Amino acid sequence: MQTKILLIYTGGTIGMAKDYGDQSLKPFNFDNLLKQIPELGLLDCSFDYHSFDTPIDSSDMKPKYWINIADTIQQNYENYDGFVVLHGTDTMAYTASALSFMIDNLEKPVIFTGSQLPIGDLRTDAKENLITSIQLASLRKKDKPIIKEVCVYFEYKLFRANRTTKINAENFDAFESPNYPVIGVSGVHLEVKEDLLLKNTVTEKLAINKKLNADVGVLKIFPGMNRSFIESVLKAPNMKAFIIEAFGTGNIFTDDWFIELLEEVTNKGIHLIINTQCAGGMVELGRYATSDALLKMGAISSFDLTMEAAITKAIYLLGQNLSKDEFKAQYEANLKGELRHHFYND
């Protein structure tokens, strides 16, 4: 029996075609998909597509659109065996990470992909990314999907969504997973590393959590920062969480005024989350004396979260109206395969 895949087009370069008359990019007509990519006719599956009414540039992506994508998956969940979300590359890792937190009891693949060049371009990467994403979403064993999580596929590699970050705006090899192995490779053979996939036991129906709160601030520190700038950021009204992009394993400069400002933040009940500016490695509060103050004030460690996952996890958890202690416990827990720490082994 053929698998059925739903393509969900949100916008982005992959859905554009070049007008060779004036060299402009225009929205691609998916009714002509087979004409543009005849290879799709060779796939051992059927597929339909759903498009946002108004496709958006991924730079304009917002939580309300995350909910739209999740709603589309939920409404069509029983009718399809897998989902491929076509998305602009700039914020793909944010959206894919967000959906990994928002969707509970997922038993089917949700594969995000896009392209660096439009689908109608002579040298486009869109064809391979789209064809292989559909193939990955179609993979089954004993009539059950092999992949049961949210992923990103790009340039011959399959990544766990909430482990993925965009690292390059020029190369086709645009994404990387700095702290978790690639979970699939497209070479001569299509290989999925099943031992690295999420293995959740699902006993309930698919559920979408739409309660999100984006009252999150991010402050990247650097040597010699202006005090008034930091004060203006940390005293911004209505913020519920601040993520500090610290040095190394979570280290900060230890000027008294800066420590006092951070203590004010935590004393107000605002969640103070510490991430690292390093692409690889993890936050280990207390490892060096320059993070002792953070440990004492009860700051939250993001361990080895990508920045995209750190932000979207905060947005997701803020929407759950948790107590301060519950928020910290949930944030530092491995919810959807997004992190590991010294108490947890993948």
Side-chain angles (χ1 to χ4, degrees):
M1 184 176 177
Q2 271 197 336
T3 54
K4 291 181 64 179
I5 306 300
L6 180 64
L7 308 182
I8 302 171
Y9 176 59
T10 68
T13 301
I14 194 169
M16 307 299 284
K18 183 178 283 187
D19 184 319
Y20 286 95
D22 60 12
Q23 297 298 302
S24 64
L25 293 178
K26 296 181 179 177
F28 177 71
N29 183 355
F30 274 85
D31 289 326
N32 294 323
L33 193 62
L34 280 171
K35 181 180 177 183
Q36 289 284 338
I37 313 179
E39 297 91 337
L40 289 173
L42 301 174
L43 293 173
D44 188 24
C45 65
S46 63
F47 57 88
D48 298 317
Y49 70 86
H50 170 91
S51 176
F52 274 22
D53 292 337
T54 304
I56 61 169
D57 188 288
S58 73
S59 297
D60 288 321
M61 187 57 66
K62 296 175 175 65
K64 68 178 182 179
Y65 298 128
W66 300 344
I67 293 172
N68 288 349
I69 298 168
D71 273 339
T72 301
I73 292 170
Q74 186 175 39
Q75 290 162 12
N76 292 279
Y77 192 70
E78 298 303 323
N79 299 321
Y80 293 91
D81 300 297
F83 303 86
V84 174
V85 181
L86 307 179
H87 194 290
T89 60
D90 283 347
T91 60
M92 185 190 298
Y94 288 94
T95 302
S97 294
L99 258 71
S100 76
F101 298 122
M102 293 166 62
I103 302 176
D104 290 323
N105 308 316
L106 182 63
E107 289 189 286
K108 298 178 182 181
V110 176
I111 313 290
F112 277 76
T113 196
S115 66
Q116 297 286 64
L117 290 176
I119 208 163
D121 196 277
L122 182 63
R123 296 180 53 252
T124 186
D125 55 331
K127 290 184 179 182
E128 196 284 324
N129 286 345
L130 178 57
I131 290 169
T132 305
S133 292
I134 294 172
Q135 285 186 299
L136 286 163
S138 302
L139 291 177
R140 299 176 76 80
K141 180 184 283 187
K142 296 181 179 178
D143 204 33
K144 292 186 180 296
I146 291 175
I147 299 167
K148 302 176 183 180
E149 60 177 287
V150 185
C151 299
V152 169
Y153 177 78
F154 217 87
E155 189 64 7
Y156 307 113
K157 295 176 184 175
L158 181 68
F159 307 99
R160 174 165 296 159
N162 53 38
R163 292 289 197 155
T164 309
T165 189
K166 186 176 181 182
I167 59 164
N168 200 305
E170 296 293 327
N171 295 344
F172 289 142
D173 198 7
F175 290 88
E176 192 50 80
S177 175
N179 287 314
Y180 195 75
V182 170
I183 60 177
V185 178
S186 174
V188 174
H189 302 286
L190 193 58
E191 177 190 3
V192 175
K193 300 175 182 179
E194 295 183 47
D195 58 315
L196 296 175
L197 296 174
L198 278 181
K199 300 173 182 65
N200 293 330
T201 301
V202 175
T203 57
E204 298 179 28
K205 274 190 166 185
L206 182 89
I208 306 296
N209 195 316
K210 303 177 187 179
K211 296 176 181 178
L212 305 172
N213 186 332
D215 293 334
V216 179
V218 177
L219 178 66
K220 183 171 185 171
I221 64 170
F222 59 87
M225 284 190 79
N226 181 283
R227 177 176 177 173
S228 60
F229 170 75
I230 293 178
E231 287 179 340
S232 67
V233 172
L234 294 181
K235 292 185 177 181
N238 303 318
M239 301 309 294
K240 304 292 191 302
F242 273 111
I243 300 174
I244 305 293
E245 275 197 90
F247 308 125
T249 57
N251 305 313
I252 59 171
F253 49 88
T254 56
D255 299 44
D256 289 343
W257 61 265
F258 186 45
I259 301 301
E260 288 168 6
L261 279 173
L262 296 179
E263 286 175 341
E264 283 181 33
V265 166
T266 58
N267 290 338
K268 289 178 183 175
I270 298 171
H271 306 292
L272 182 64
I273 300 163
I274 310 302
N275 206 338
T276 174
Q277 296 176 17
C278 301
M282 63 191 289
V283 172
E284 296 180 71
L285 298 182
R287 179 172 177 180
Y288 295 100
T290 45
S291 63
D292 282 348
L294 296 172
L295 195 62
K296 289 174 182 174
M297 67 180 77
I300 299 167
S301 174
S302 68
F303 296 106
D304 64 345
L305 289 178
T306 63
M307 199 61 202
E308 292 90 340
I311 291 170
T312 54
K313 189 173 186 178
I315 291 172
Y316 164 72
L317 289 176
L318 282 178
Q320 313 313 305
N321 292 318
L322 304 171
S323 70
K324 191 171 182 179
D325 287 344
E326 288 172 331
F327 184 97
K328 178 178 170 65
Q330 288 289 297
Y331 199 93
E332 293 185 341
N334 180 50
L335 302 181
K336 298 292 178 67
E338 73 279 9
L339 64 75
R340 63 177 177 178
H341 50 66
H342 48 285
F343 300 118
Y344 174 78
N345 293 308
D346 285 308

XYZ file of all heavy atoms in Angstrom, residues 69-142:
576
model
N 1.095 25.820 11.287
C 1.712 24.586 10.769
C 1.265 23.387 11.606
O 0.884 22.335 11.067
C 3.250 24.702 10.776
C 3.717 25.837 9.875
C 3.882 23.374 10.330
C 5.187 26.195 10.044
N 1.323 23.551 12.927
C 0.917 22.461 13.825
C -0.550 22.102 13.625
O -0.918 20.910 13.620
C 1.176 22.856 15.271
N -1.395 23.098 13.437
C -2.824 22.859 13.183
C -3.023 22.053 11.899
O -3.846 21.130 11.846
C -3.580 24.188 13.066
C -4.046 24.717 14.416
O -4.155 23.924 15.370
O -4.308 25.931 14.514
N -2.271 22.419 10.864
C -2.387 21.714 9.584
C -2.012 20.244 9.738
O -2.676 19.360 9.186
C -1.490 22.386 8.522
O -1.882 23.754 8.374
C -1.600 21.684 7.182
N -0.958 19.986 10.500
C -0.552 18.599 10.751
C -1.641 17.861 11.525
O -2.017 16.732 11.182
C 0.788 18.560 11.509
C 1.918 19.061 10.607
C 1.093 17.140 12.015
C 3.225 19.294 11.323
N -2.163 18.501 12.552
C -3.188 17.849 13.374
C -4.460 17.560 12.566
O -5.027 16.467 12.667
C -3.523 18.725 14.578
C -4.481 18.063 15.571
C -4.701 18.910 16.815
O -4.801 20.135 16.735
N -4.742 18.269 17.970
N -4.891 18.520 11.758
C -6.120 18.344 10.983
C -5.996 17.248 9.925
O -6.992 16.634 9.532
C -6.495 19.674 10.319
C -6.964 20.736 11.293
C -6.927 22.145 10.709
O -6.767 22.322 9.502
N -7.075 23.153 11.561
N -4.771 17.008 9.481
C -4.564 16.014 8.420
C -3.868 14.749 8.918
O -3.510 13.883 8.115
C -3.728 16.635 7.296
C -4.478 17.721 6.549
O -5.290 17.448 5.674
N -4.200 18.968 6.902
N -3.709 14.643 10.217
C -2.863 13.594 10.794
C -3.339 12.191 10.443
O -2.533 11.305 10.139
C -2.797 13.769 12.308
C -1.730 12.935 12.975
C -0.382 13.231 12.803
C -2.061 11.845 13.786
C 0.606 12.479 13.418
C -1.080 11.088 14.408
C 0.256 11.410 14.221
O 1.221 10.658 14.824
N -4.636 11.962 10.476
C -5.166 10.616 10.232
C -5.143 10.240 8.755
O -5.242 9.066 8.410
C -6.595 10.512 10.768
C -6.717 10.720 12.265
C -5.860 9.758 13.086
O -5.735 8.582 12.674
O -5.299 10.183 14.114
N -5.006 11.216 7.880
C -5.110 10.961 6.444
C -3.770 10.786 5.738
O -3.733 10.441 4.557
C -5.884 12.091 5.768
C -7.297 12.224 6.302
O -7.950 11.219 6.576
N -7.768 13.446 6.469
N -2.678 11.040 6.465
C -1.353 10.965 5.832
C -0.386 10.186 6.713
O -0.529 10.136 7.935
C -0.814 12.370 5.546
C -1.616 13.095 4.497
C -2.692 13.910 4.863
C -1.324 12.948 3.141
C -3.455 14.558 3.895
C -2.077 13.592 2.173
C -3.139 14.397 2.547
O -3.892 15.028 1.593
N 0.622 9.630 6.060
C 1.624 8.831 6.765
C 2.834 9.652 7.193
O 3.643 9.195 8.008
C 2.091 7.678 5.875
C 0.946 6.760 5.479
O 0.357 6.144 6.387
O 0.629 6.678 4.280
N 2.979 10.833 6.633
C 4.094 11.688 6.987
C 3.898 13.079 6.421
O 3.020 13.307 5.564
N 4.708 14.022 6.902
C 4.552 15.426 6.540
C 5.912 16.021 6.183
O 6.902 15.789 6.889
C 3.920 16.205 7.693
C 2.584 15.648 8.112
C 2.507 14.610 9.044
C 1.406 16.120 7.547
C 1.293 14.067 9.411
C 0.182 15.577 7.904
C 0.122 14.543 8.840
N 5.945 16.784 5.100
C 7.144 17.520 4.709
C 6.795 18.997 4.697
O 5.886 19.420 3.972
C 7.658 17.070 3.320
C 8.821 17.962 2.870
C 8.092 15.615 3.361
N 7.494 19.760 5.537
C 7.221 21.198 5.663
C 8.279 21.963 4.886
O 9.478 21.850 5.169
C 7.226 21.641 7.141
C 6.905 23.131 7.244
C 6.240 20.816 7.965
N 7.843 22.723 3.893
C 8.751 23.531 3.081
C 8.823 24.924 3.680
O 7.794 25.592 3.838
C 8.250 23.585 1.639
C 7.975 22.216 1.001
C 7.463 22.375 -0.431
C 9.211 21.343 1.018
N 10.026 25.357 3.999
C 10.207 26.537 4.859
C 11.478 27.268 4.434
O 12.452 26.650 3.999
C 10.350 26.040 6.305
C 10.219 27.075 7.372
N 11.169 28.059 7.581
C 9.264 27.272 8.325
C 10.790 28.813 8.612
N 9.651 28.352 9.075
N 11.494 28.577 4.581
C 12.708 29.334 4.336
C 13.792 28.939 5.310
O 13.518 28.554 6.454
N 15.045 29.035 4.873
C 16.141 28.505 5.686
C 16.505 29.388 6.872
O 17.022 28.880 7.869
C 17.403 28.295 4.826
O 17.805 29.551 4.254
C 17.143 27.289 3.716
N 16.252 30.696 6.783
C 16.755 31.596 7.823
C 16.225 31.261 9.208
O 16.946 31.372 10.199
C 16.432 33.055 7.480
C 17.355 33.618 6.416
O 18.384 32.977 6.125
O 17.055 34.692 5.866
N 14.952 30.897 9.303
C 14.364 30.606 10.618
C 13.830 29.173 10.706
O 13.068 28.853 11.602
C 13.228 31.596 10.960
O 12.197 31.507 9.962
C 13.755 33.018 11.031
N 14.256 28.326 9.779
C 13.773 26.938 9.779
C 14.084 26.230 11.093
O 13.236 25.507 11.639
C 14.379 26.160 8.618
C 13.830 24.751 8.484
S 14.750 23.757 7.294
C 14.470 24.666 5.797
N 15.289 26.426 11.628
C 15.670 25.724 12.865
C 14.813 26.181 14.042
O 14.545 25.401 14.959
C 17.147 25.945 13.160
N 14.384 27.459 14.038
C 13.485 27.937 15.096
C 12.126 27.254 14.991
O 11.598 26.734 15.988
C 13.290 29.453 14.987
C 14.474 30.296 15.377
C 15.384 30.747 14.437
C 14.682 30.668 16.705
C 16.474 31.537 14.788
C 15.769 31.458 17.078
C 16.653 31.886 16.109
O 17.725 32.673 16.471
N 11.539 27.275 13.800
C 10.203 26.696 13.621
C 10.210 25.197 13.901
O 9.330 24.676 14.585
C 9.692 26.957 12.194
O 9.674 28.369 11.949
C 8.295 26.403 12.000
N 11.209 24.505 13.360
C 11.281 23.054 13.565
C 11.474 22.717 15.037
O 10.845 21.792 15.562
C 12.422 22.468 12.719
N 12.315 23.483 15.731
C 12.508 23.264 17.178
C 11.211 23.510 17.931
O 10.828 22.735 18.804
C 13.608 24.196 17.708
O 14.861 23.871 17.168
N 10.537 24.609 17.598
C 9.276 24.947 18.274
C 8.261 23.817 18.114
O 7.600 23.415 19.083
C 8.721 26.253 17.735
N 8.122 23.301 16.894
C 7.142 22.238 16.677
C 7.504 20.974 17.435
O 6.619 20.233 17.880
C 6.989 21.950 15.185
C 5.714 22.579 14.595
C 5.841 24.083 14.506
C 5.351 21.982 13.257
N 8.791 20.727 17.619
C 9.184 19.530 18.376
C 8.669 19.606 19.805
O 8.329 18.581 20.408
C 10.701 19.355 18.359
O 11.359 20.251 19.232
N 8.616 20.819 20.374
C 8.094 20.990 21.736
C 6.567 21.022 21.752
O 5.942 20.527 22.684
C 8.644 22.277 22.357
C 10.136 22.295 22.509
C 10.909 23.278 21.914
C 10.787 21.309 23.245
C 12.294 23.284 22.047
C 12.165 21.300 23.386
C 12.921 22.297 22.779
N 5.962 21.593 20.729
C 4.517 21.802 20.713
C 3.721 20.520 20.449
O 2.574 20.405 20.888
C 4.157 22.827 19.629
C 4.666 24.229 19.912
S 4.567 25.284 18.442
C 2.792 25.307 18.140
N 4.309 19.580 19.701
C 3.575 18.375 19.305
C 3.869 17.236 20.274
O 5.012 16.846 20.463
C 3.947 17.940 17.873
C 3.654 19.064 16.878
C 3.194 16.677 17.493
C 4.083 18.748 15.454
N 2.825 16.712 20.875
C 2.943 15.561 21.772
C 2.358 14.317 21.107
O 1.438 14.399 20.293
C 2.213 15.837 23.092
C 2.920 16.877 23.943
O 4.171 16.890 23.954
O 2.225 17.696 24.585
N 2.893 13.166 21.482
C 2.398 11.870 21.014
C 2.540 11.711 19.498
O 1.672 11.126 18.837
C 0.928 11.666 21.429
C 0.723 11.889 22.912
O 1.512 11.429 23.729
N -0.333 12.606 23.272
N 3.640 12.200 18.975
C 3.888 12.111 17.532
C 4.370 10.705 17.168
O 5.328 10.198 17.741
C 4.940 13.153 17.130
C 5.294 13.244 15.638
C 4.076 13.668 14.818
C 6.438 14.232 15.427
N 3.694 10.094 16.191
C 4.073 8.747 15.737
C 4.362 8.716 14.236
O 4.480 7.645 13.647
C 2.961 7.752 16.048
C 2.799 7.440 17.525
C 1.845 6.289 17.747
O 0.628 6.480 17.586
O 2.319 5.186 18.072
N 4.491 9.900 13.637
C 4.756 9.992 12.204
C 5.850 11.028 11.956
O 6.073 11.909 12.799
C 3.473 10.389 11.456
C 2.353 9.363 11.597
C 1.083 9.801 10.890
C -0.037 8.764 11.082
N -1.282 9.151 10.380
N 6.539 10.947 10.830
C 7.609 11.905 10.567
C 7.094 13.284 10.157
O 6.122 13.400 9.405
C 8.378 11.249 9.409
C 7.376 10.381 8.734
C 6.446 9.900 9.794
N 7.773 14.301 10.670
C 7.568 15.679 10.215
C 8.952 16.173 9.797
O 9.820 16.383 10.626
C 6.988 16.574 11.324
C 6.885 18.023 10.834
C 5.623 16.066 11.783
N 9.156 16.312 8.493
C 10.472 16.648 7.951
C 10.442 18.074 7.394
O 9.675 18.374 6.472
C 10.904 15.691 6.827
C 10.678 14.221 7.217
C 12.352 15.967 6.417
C 11.584 13.705 8.284
N 11.276 18.948 7.942
C 11.425 20.299 7.412
C 12.529 20.312 6.366
O 13.585 19.710 6.557
C 11.802 21.275 8.531
C 10.641 21.777 9.332
C 10.028 20.972 10.283
C 10.149 23.067 9.146
C 8.960 21.437 11.025
C 9.082 23.539 9.882
C 8.478 22.728 10.826
N 12.286 21.016 5.275
C 13.343 21.215 4.299
C 13.115 22.528 3.567
O 12.074 23.181 3.713
C 13.434 20.035 3.303
O 14.687 20.097 2.626
C 12.303 20.055 2.287
N 14.102 22.911 2.786
C 14.049 24.153 2.020
C 15.161 24.111 1.007
O 15.639 23.039 0.637
N 15.589 25.276 0.569
C 16.681 25.295 -0.401
C 17.384 26.643 -0.365
O 16.832 27.641 0.102
C 16.158 25.020 -1.814
O 15.311 26.078 -2.246
N 18.594 26.659 -0.871
C 19.365 27.890 -0.985
C 19.110 28.579 -2.322
O 19.283 29.785 -2.450
C 20.864 27.597 -0.838
C 21.279 27.037 0.519
C 21.273 28.074 1.617
O 20.226 28.618 1.952
N 22.442 28.349 2.174
N 18.708 27.796 -3.325
C 18.371 28.347 -4.641
C 16.946 27.951 -5.012
O 16.473 26.884 -4.609
C 19.342 27.823 -5.705
C 20.798 28.338 -5.633
C 21.647 27.649 -6.691
C 20.858 29.847 -5.808
N 16.245 28.776 -5.795
C 14.853 28.481 -6.156
C 14.711 27.179 -6.945
O 15.653 26.725 -7.603
C 14.450 29.686 -7.025
C 15.432 30.747 -6.698
C 16.702 30.062 -6.333
N 13.522 26.630 -6.896
C 13.275 25.327 -7.495
C 13.464 25.340 -9.012
O 13.792 24.338 -9.621
C 11.856 24.834 -7.112
C 11.808 23.308 -7.086
C 10.788 25.414 -8.025
C 10.623 22.754 -6.334
N 13.273 26.489 -9.644
C 13.418 26.579 -11.096
C 14.810 26.952 -11.554
O 15.070 27.047 -12.758
N 15.732 27.149 -10.624
C 17.088 27.531 -10.982
C 17.845 26.317 -11.523
O 17.665 25.197 -11.052
C 17.818 28.094 -9.756
C 19.071 28.867 -10.118
O 20.116 28.227 -10.323
O 18.987 30.105 -10.182
N 18.719 26.566 -12.482
C 19.452 25.475 -13.121
C 20.262 24.659 -12.120
O 20.337 23.432 -12.203
C 20.387 26.048 -14.200
C 21.197 25.026 -15.012
C 20.258 24.124 -15.805
C 22.159 25.750 -15.950
N 20.868 25.316 -11.119
C 21.735 24.635 -10.155
C 21.043 24.422 -8.805
O 21.704 24.249 -7.788
C 23.019 25.457 -9.949
C 23.884 25.584 -11.196
C 25.141 26.397 -10.923
N 25.868 25.878 -9.782
C 25.935 26.478 -8.597
N 25.304 27.626 -8.387
N 26.628 25.936 -7.615
N 19.751 24.411 -8.793
C 19.012 24.374 -7.529
C 19.317 23.134 -6.685
O 19.546 22.040 -7.210
C 17.506 24.451 -7.782
O 16.823 24.554 -6.516
C 17.004 23.216 -8.517
N 19.313 23.334 -5.374
C 19.393 22.225 -4.418
C 18.004 21.795 -3.978
O 17.859 20.856 -3.195
C 20.229 22.634 -3.198
C 19.722 23.906 -2.527
O 19.129 24.768 -3.224
O 19.928 24.073 -1.314
N 16.963 22.483 -4.477
C 15.598 22.226 -4.028
C 15.111 20.833 -4.407
O 14.411 20.172 -3.639
C 14.646 23.283 -4.601
N 15.484 20.371 -5.596
C 14.974 19.084 -6.073
C 15.419 17.944 -5.164
O 14.614 17.127 -4.726
C 15.429 18.835 -7.509
C 14.757 19.748 -8.526
C 15.172 19.383 -9.939
C 14.489 20.285 -10.956
N 14.851 19.922 -12.345
N 16.715 17.866 -4.898
C 17.222 16.775 -4.063
C 16.651 16.860 -2.659
O 16.241 15.843 -2.081
C 18.752 16.809 -4.018
C 19.396 15.524 -3.512
C 19.318 15.329 -2.016
O 19.424 16.346 -1.287
O 19.148 14.194 -1.551
N 16.625 18.076 -2.088
C 16.105 18.229 -0.728
C 14.647 17.784 -0.641
O 14.250 17.102 0.308
C 16.243 19.687 -0.275
C 17.672 20.062 0.060
O 18.536 19.203 0.230
N 17.934 21.356 0.169
N 13.852 18.162 -1.640
C 12.430 17.813 -1.616
C 12.213 16.326 -1.848
O 11.476 15.670 -1.105
C 11.690 18.630 -2.677
C 10.184 18.345 -2.822
C 9.462 18.549 -1.493
C 9.579 19.227 -3.909
N 12.869 15.772 -2.864
C 12.682 14.351 -3.178
C 13.089 13.466 -2.000
O 12.356 12.556 -1.598
C 13.494 13.968 -4.440
C 12.863 14.603 -5.681
C 13.564 12.454 -4.606
C 13.729 14.509 -6.934
N 14.256 13.753 -1.422
C 14.729 12.902 -0.326
C 13.890 13.097 0.926
O 13.662 12.132 1.673
C 16.218 13.172 -0.038
O 16.963 13.013 -1.246
C 16.757 12.202 1.001
N 13.420 14.305 1.176
C 12.550 14.532 2.341
C 11.273 13.708 2.233
O 10.810 13.128 3.218
C 12.217 16.021 2.469
O 13.355 16.768 2.806
N 10.713 13.646 1.027
C 9.513 12.835 0.816
C 9.836 11.352 1.026
O 9.065 10.610 1.654
C 8.933 13.082 -0.596
C 8.415 14.519 -0.715
C 7.812 12.089 -0.897
C 7.995 14.912 -2.121
N 10.993 10.926 0.521
C 11.393 9.532 0.728
C 11.561 9.211 2.206
O 11.112 8.163 2.683
C 12.701 9.254 -0.018
C 12.552 9.116 -1.520
C 13.860 8.690 -2.164
O 14.857 9.395 -2.082
N 13.852 7.537 -2.802
N 12.205 10.108 2.943
C 12.406 9.901 4.375
C 11.068 9.830 5.114
O 10.886 9.011 6.020
C 13.267 11.024 4.957
C 14.752 10.975 4.604
C 15.420 12.314 4.877
C 15.455 9.866 5.386
N 10.144 10.691 4.727
C 8.823 10.699 5.368
C 8.032 9.443 5.035
O 7.068 9.105 5.736
C 8.047 11.944 4.947
N 8.450 8.735 3.968
C 7.731 7.534 3.522
C 8.294 6.245 4.104
O 7.681 5.180 3.953
C 7.783 7.439 1.994
O 7.230 8.589 1.397
N 9.469 6.313 4.739
C 10.127 5.094 5.218
C 9.293 4.378 6.273
O 8.827 4.991 7.230
C 11.505 5.433 5.800
C 12.574 5.889 4.807
C 13.847 6.265 5.558
C 12.861 4.811 3.769
N 9.147 3.064 6.082
C 8.354 2.276 7.018
C 9.031 0.941 7.294
O 9.798 0.430 6.475
C 6.937 2.039 6.468
C 6.165 3.328 6.234
C 4.807 3.073 5.610
N 3.843 2.561 6.549
C 3.167 3.289 7.426
N 3.374 4.588 7.491
N 2.289 2.742 8.228
N 8.734 0.390 8.447
C 9.192 -0.950 8.819
C 8.027 -1.646 9.514
O 7.448 -1.097 10.460
C 10.403 -0.864 9.749
C 10.929 -2.232 10.180
C 12.075 -2.109 11.172
C 13.357 -1.723 10.478
N 14.519 -1.776 11.424
N 7.674 -2.810 9.034
C 6.515 -3.543 9.568
C 5.270 -2.662 9.545
O 4.479 -2.614 10.499
C 6.798 -4.050 10.987
C 7.927 -5.065 11.048
C 8.166 -5.563 12.463
C 9.296 -6.591 12.493
N 9.588 -7.057 13.873
